[in-house]
Amino acid sequence: MDFLRPGTWEEALAAKAEHPSAVPLAGGTDVMVEINFDHRRPEYLLDLNRIGDLYEWEVGERDVRLGASVPYTRIMENLRGPLPGLALAAHTVGSPQIRNRGSVGGNLGAASPAGDSHPALLAAGAEVEAESVRGTRLIPVERFYTGVKRNALEPDELIRAVRVRKADGPQQFAKVGTRNAMVIAVCAFGLALHPRARAVRTGIGSAAPTPLRARAAEEFLDAALAEGGFWDSGRDLPPSLVRQFGELAAGSCNPIDDVRGSARYRRHAVGVMARRTLGWAWDAYRGSERTTRCA
Amino acid sequence: MRVNCTVNGRPREADDVWEGESLLYVLRERLGLPGSKNACEQGECGSCTVRLDGELVCACLVAAGQAEGREVVTVEGLAELAAQRAPDAGAAGDQGRDGAQTAGLSPVQRAFVDAGAVQCGFCTPGLLVAADDLLARVPDPSDADIREALSGNLCRCTGYEKILDAVRLAAARAGETV
Ligand SMILES: Cc1cc2nc3c(=O)[nH]c(=O)nc-3n(C[C@H](O)[C@H](O)[C@H](O)COP(=O)(O)OP(=O)(O)OC[C@H]3O[C@@H](n4cnc5c(N)ncnc54)[C@H](O)[C@@H]3O)c2cc1C
Ligand code: FES
Ligand code: FES
């Protein structure tokens, strides 16, 4: 095994081009487990810890450009305002020790259907900035997940950053597990209201081979909210509407039975989380609508 | 490969390190610091918790090469770290609750002893490093703060109550001396 230690992003790209089989190593919270248990013996480890750019973020007009290696702890501490859904998801990852090292770039690299950033990224809207010596491409996050633990990166590409849309409305994240800390999601759900576009976006985790959006539920809700004038009135959502949203979200799942839960339970739980996160987010939206309208 | 880093304030060098080796292995097997414990090697138990450039991490998940040039603090360095933070308090040679000599213990370590928070002791080093980190950041933590800060550390013996007591005790004692 060789330990490659690029000092700059350009050196990292050059190393990845020269050794496409090299395994990038960021926080190591996925990679080191595999090495400790002998599940993986890469020929090259490509340590990204020395590349300062990957630990920085920029808050722009439309997006937050989040460096691939920014640890979850920093996201919770600094980006709760522009990225509320991702900050909530980050807070549920592992433990303080894991959140101090683990990163969204690593979560995307691993592309586990149970990764907690995915539902939040899907709901907020995001693009993965993939770079190689050949150039940069922006991959919409919903096209980034290509299969169980597979992603759209080419062998010579690295993730430079994730461009996440800044929130223009309330966002929520819910996760089912056996305790609050140190839990791989049985399933998870992210929801974001986008009042400016008058749209609702969602993300489902751990209930299909890849993280995915509940498209049918989104389309149904977008139409129902528009038809009922709910965005303007900020009225209570009728229970029947919320229920149908939950059912459609559950219908988008394609889960499996495993040690953490049965497929049937996962589908059920996704429906419940969809209803609840919509309720919480809509309450927050109504609250803010009321204050702006009264002011 | 060779790895150079600062451990508990002293420059250390480890030779013949395998590229896939963890920082935990280097500390325990190459640098003679067996305080950090190896229980799960998968980040679940926290018994290998150390500080890496000031951040709380699981040493089992840090590749040795990633520690090159960095500063590591292990449980063996806690007393010295505490002495640096509060030079007057002087960690060495303190008298424990029952007058027993508890030389070289940091205030958090002393509180763990006094509160009966140590049974088999396997989880203790990791909990001490985590508790020390909490108290350095949040001098007067709520119970929720303590639970959150220790949520990455498992203990199979104590049922956690005495560990929570120990952290409260350490915080209270630190409050008295200010
Ligand atoms: C005890 C424990 C608890 C955990 N709990 C959770 C949890 O609750 N929720 C959750 O989602 N995850 C959890 N995880 C998994 C892990 O912490 C996350 O997936 C984390 O986001 C990985 O980030 P990392 O920086 O540590 O990645 P690494 O382990 O360094 O890398 C992960 C993968 O991404 C690749 N990679 C890393 N950076 C890049 C890059 N810039 N470009 C291309 N590829 C890259 C690596 O090659 C590897 O394949 C847990 C892990 C442990 C050990
Ligand atoms: S040995 Fe590192 S967390 Fe258990
Ligand atoms: S005292 Fe035995 S594991 Fe905690």
Side-chain angles (χ1 to χ4, degrees):
Chain A
M1 198 186 287
D2 254 351
F3 198 83
L4 308 173
R5 218 167 349 195
T8 65
W9 179 238
E10 287 66 33
E11 284 171 31
L13 293 178
K16 189 67 171 138
E18 193 181 340
H19 310 288
S21 71
V23 172
L25 179 62
T29 59
D30 281 314
V31 173
M32 286 305 288
V33 174
E34 293 176 341
I35 292 179
N36 289 346
F37 282 79
D38 235 338
H39 294 157
R40 202 167 191 181
R41 267 298 141 91
E43 217 181 323
Y44 299 95
L45 276 177
L46 180 61
D47 177 26
L48 301 176
N49 275 195
R50 263 144 243 281
I51 302 168
D53 296 346
L54 297 182
Y55 290 84
E56 288 173 11
W57 62 86
E58 298 150 41
V59 182
E61 274 295 301
R62 191 188 69 154
D63 295 330
V64 174
R65 183 173 183 238
L66 180 71
S69 296
V70 174
Y72 292 113
T73 305
R74 295 282 98 74
I75 297 173
M76 289 158 54
E77 287 171 351
N78 301 291
L79 293 168
R80 202 167 279 279
L83 307 178
L86 188 62
L88 283 171
H91 203 158
T92 76
V93 172
S95 64
Q97 290 91 323
I98 301 298
R99 295 194 290 270
N100 281 342
R101 297 281 294 166
S103 63
V104 173
N107 217 218
L108 287 164
S112 157
D116 286 319
S117 4
H118 313 317
L121 295 176
L122 286 164
E127 284 120 28
V128 180
E129 197 179 316
E131 198 171 334
S132 70
V133 290
R134 296 173 292 119
T136 300
R137 52 182 189 132
L138 292 180
I139 308 169
V141 71
E142 42 275 88
R143 275 196 261 137
F144 187 76
Y145 314 110
T146 54
V148 180
K149 304 196 176 179
R150 298 194 162 274
N151 62 39
L153 291 179
E154 297 293 336
D156 64 345
E157 280 180 325
L158 292 171
I159 301 169
R160 168 64 184 81
V162 195
R163 298 190 187 177
V164 194
R165 223 56 84 240
K166 278 162 68 180
D168 67 322
Q171 302 188 345
Q172 279 295 343
F173 176 82
K175 168 173 168 181
V176 172
T178 43
R179 59 180 278 229
N180 268 340
M182 211 57 108
V183 143
I184 306 180
V186 174
C187 50
F189 197 83
L191 179 137
L193 301 183
H194 298 277
R196 240 178 278 148
R198 306 226 147 170
V200 178
R201 283 180 57 139
T202 60
I204 299 176
S206 228
T210 66
L212 77 167
R213 284 168 66 182
R215 301 261 188 187
E218 291 178 9
E219 282 161 23
F220 159 76
L221 192 59
D222 284 352
L225 293 179
E227 210 169 295
F230 287 100
W231 289 108
D232 290 318
S233 68
R235 266 191 302 130
D236 252 337
L237 299 180
S240 61
L241 188 156
V242 178
R243 204 176 319 119
Q244 193 167 350
F245 175 71
E247 279 163 18
L248 287 167
S252 295
C253 301
N254 181 16
I256 53 164
D257 293 317
D258 69 11
V259 287
R260 280 177 284 139
S262 66
R264 201 163 146 253
Y265 175 73
R266 286 193 159 98
R267 215 176 269 120
H268 170 75
V270 164
V272 173
M273 288 190 291
R275 285 204 313 264
R276 287 189 189 158
T277 52
L278 175 60
W280 297 329
W282 192 256
D283 279 349
Y285 175 68
R286 294 175 60 215
S288 64
E289 272 299 283
R290 261 199 234 115
T291 25
T292 40
R293 270 186 290 137
C294 293
Chain B
M1 63 180 180
R2 173 175 292 178
V3 174
N4 287 285
C5 55
T6 305
V7 183
N8 299 328
R10 275 171 283 281
R12 301 293 302 263
E13 182 178 295
D15 271 320
D16 297 324
V17 174
W18 174 58
E19 285 70 17
E21 204 163 293
S22 70
L23 172 61
L24 179 62
Y25 190 92
V26 169
L27 290 170
R28 289 179 55 84
E29 310 296 337
R30 301 196 188 276
L31 300 179
L33 293 167
S36 312
K37 296 290 176 262
N38 178 4
C40 73
E41 288 195 288
Q42 51 180 315
E44 296 275 349
C45 75
S47 54
C48 65
T49 301
V50 300
R51 279 169 179 269
L52 179 67
D53 277 356
E55 296 270 17
L56 206 64
V57 304
C58 295
C60 69
L61 299 183
V62 176
Q66 293 184 302
E68 172 71 32
R70 313 243 180 222
E71 280 192 34
V72 182
V73 175
T74 70
V75 70
E76 288 95 338
L78 276 192
E80 222 171 302
L81 187 68
Q84 281 167 15
R85 280 196 203 118
D88 308 333
D94 272 315
Q95 299 287 302
R97 176 187 51 178
D98 44 16
Q101 188 74 350
T102 49
L105 293 189
S106 75
V108 182
Q109 287 172 310
R110 212 176 313 125
F112 267 64
V113 173
D114 292 347
V118 184
Q119 289 190 22
C120 82
F122 205 81
C123 67
T124 311
L127 275 158
L128 287 168
V129 178
D132 176 80
D133 174 71
L134 168 68
L135 293 172
R137 284 182 292 116
V138 188
D140 186 19
S142 67
D143 279 5
D145 291 334
I146 301 175
R147 284 173 186 275
E148 169 87 31
L150 304 185
S151 61
N153 294 76
L154 296 180
C155 173
R156 297 300 298 268
C157 302
T158 64
Y160 301 100
E161 283 305 327
K162 303 228 159 154
I163 292 171
L164 299 181
D165 288 345
V167 180
R168 288 184 206 114
L169 179 64
R173 283 178 179 170
E176 278 164 24
T177 57
V178 178

